[in-house]
């Protein structure tokens, strides 16, 4: 993906041990297609050298407002005018306090103050000891900086370089990258609650065996991420998959179809959009054995009988909230053939306004896919692309229908 293609960042480093993570962040931004101009405070240069940051960004680093390389000798103006965003990572407690007061006694704070506030967003990745982070002064500063228009990227929690454990670590570079990419996505679902089911279900035969399917959960996880990028409050009900949780969403892990229904129904009561991507097993063993089923030596396989699982999508689509149009339901259909006809028939059968068809065997586990959107007026194809790209297009389509 090149989610930051064409974007230019000023990456500002203030003093803190998290400067070592700024090197990786710089590289991650560039890998995602961005260009990066590094600006460092004098304190930052105690933690990491300008040489490292120059080599990674492929540009000379700026550190002084008296830098004579600029013909007009105004790096604070020139650098901030060409940026799509200024990202301070790490942003120390001291640097937050400086920003708050509009201090401008060295290049980085001077540049932040001089930035065109409506055109160049300021993103802050705080990094400090847990006591410093929890201090009322820091919390007050953070709230005021947000009120002044800065975007606070939050902090991580865990082991700190000082030996203490708690909140205040700088987020890891991949986490920052995900949040920065999200920041630039249009907020088409701001204020909406989105509920997504994803992955396969696992239906137990006995304590060690069960029936499942090849769904990887990737499409559903991508939709959850895209909805969060679009500003929604997202809950993801996930069957057994080994995928990392997208940033900023609530994940509920479940195993069987019945578990998934139990987790989904209460969430659906307050959701505005429900997207059912889960490949729910249609059948489960009528009674799971409490003990591992053993071979009895006769060579005869055990006889399994099955019960139909609840249809989660159809159940949600029949709820009062969906009937009153307060909840917009979207189904998925994994088909092996006759996609258009099967998807349209399934949409009507499930009672949903929008159904998204795809060819199951061609997509399970893959990172890309192609989608067919089917509604009461007809159908539209979203051509093959990465699942995240498809998810963003689907989210935009859903947002238009609300
Ligand atoms: N679905 C569900 N609960 C089920 C079965 C399916 O919520 N017990 C949802 C899926 O999440 C998907 C849609 O219904 O959004 C269609 O799933 P699919 O497996 O394609 O359809 P089925 O109803 O199982 O139809 P069939 O197996 O006959 O194609």
């Amino acid at each position: 993906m090149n989610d930051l293609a064409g974007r230019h960042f000023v990456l500002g480093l203030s003093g803190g041990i998290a400067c070592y993570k700024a090197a990786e962040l710089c590289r991650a931004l560039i890998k995602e297609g961005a260009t990066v101009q590094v600006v460092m405070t004098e304190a930052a240069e105690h933690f990491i050298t300008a040489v490292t940051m120059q080599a990674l960004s492929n540009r000379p680093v700026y550190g002084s407002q008296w830098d004579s390389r600029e013909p007009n000798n105004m790096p604070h103006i020139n650098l901030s005018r060409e940026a799509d965003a200024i990202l301070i990572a790490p942003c120390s407690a001291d640097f937050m306090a400086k920003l708050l007061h509009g201090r401008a006694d060295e290049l980085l704070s001077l540049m932040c103050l001089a930035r065109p506030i409506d055109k160049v967003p300021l993103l802050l990745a705080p990094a400090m000891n847990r006591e410093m982070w929890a201090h009322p002064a820091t919390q007050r500063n953070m709230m005021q900086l947000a009120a002044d228009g800065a975007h606070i990227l939050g902090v991580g929690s865990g082991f700190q370089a000082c030996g203490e454990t708690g909140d205040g670590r700088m987020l890891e570079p991949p986490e920052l990258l995900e949040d920065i990419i999200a920041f630039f996505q249009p907020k088409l679902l701001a204020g909406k609650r989105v509920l997504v089911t994803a992955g396969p279900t696992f239906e137990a035969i006995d304590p060690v065996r069960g029936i499942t399917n090849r769904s990887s959960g990737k499409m559903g996880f991508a939709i959850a991420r895209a909805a969060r990028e679009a500003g929604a409050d997202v809950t993801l009900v996930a069957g057994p998959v080994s995928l990392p949780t997208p940033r900023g969403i609530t994940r509920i892990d479940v195993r069987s179809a019945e578990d998934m229904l139990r987790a989904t129904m209460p969430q659906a009561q307050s959701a505005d959009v429900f997207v059912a991507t889960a490949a729910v097993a249609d059948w489960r063993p009528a009674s799971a054995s409490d003990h591992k089923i053993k071979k009895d030596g006769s060579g005869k396989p055990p006889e399994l009988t099955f019960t139909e699982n609840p249809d989660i999508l159809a159940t949600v689509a029949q709820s009062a909230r969906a009937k009153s149009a307060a909840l917009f339901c979207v189904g998925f259909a994994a088909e092996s053939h006759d996609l258009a006809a099967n998807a349209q028939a399934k949409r009507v059968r499930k009672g949903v306004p929008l159904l998204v068809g795809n060819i199951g065997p061609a997509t399970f586990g893959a990172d890309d896919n192609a989608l067919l959107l089917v509604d009461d007026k007809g159908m539209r194809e979203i051509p093959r692309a990465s699942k995240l790209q498809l998810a963003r297009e689907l989210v935009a389509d859903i947002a238009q229908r609300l």
Side-chain angles (χ1 to χ4, degrees), residues 113-173:
L113 190 67
R115 87 185 203 279
I117 202 162
D118 298 330
K119 286 201 207 126
V120 183
L122 177 63
L123 281 66
L124 307 179
M128 64 201 73
N129 163 268
R130 66 189 177 108
E131 299 293 358
M132 293 167 72
W133 175 250
H135 196 285
T138 304
Q139 291 299 312
R140 194 167 57 230
N141 291 351
M142 183 184 59
M143 306 264 270
Q144 187 57 50
L145 283 167
D148 290 349
H151 181 79
I152 316 279
L153 291 162
V155 294
S157 187
F159 182 73
Q160 302 198 310
C162 50
E164 298 178 1
T165 303
D167 293 342
R169 286 161 52 115
M170 189 166 88
L171 292 173
E172 298 304 318

Side-chain angles (χ1 to χ4, degrees), residues 294-307:
K294 302 296 257 179
K295 290 196 288 279
D296 63 8
S298 70
K300 248 180 67 197
E303 276 187 16
L304 294 176
T305 54
F306 291 91
T307 308

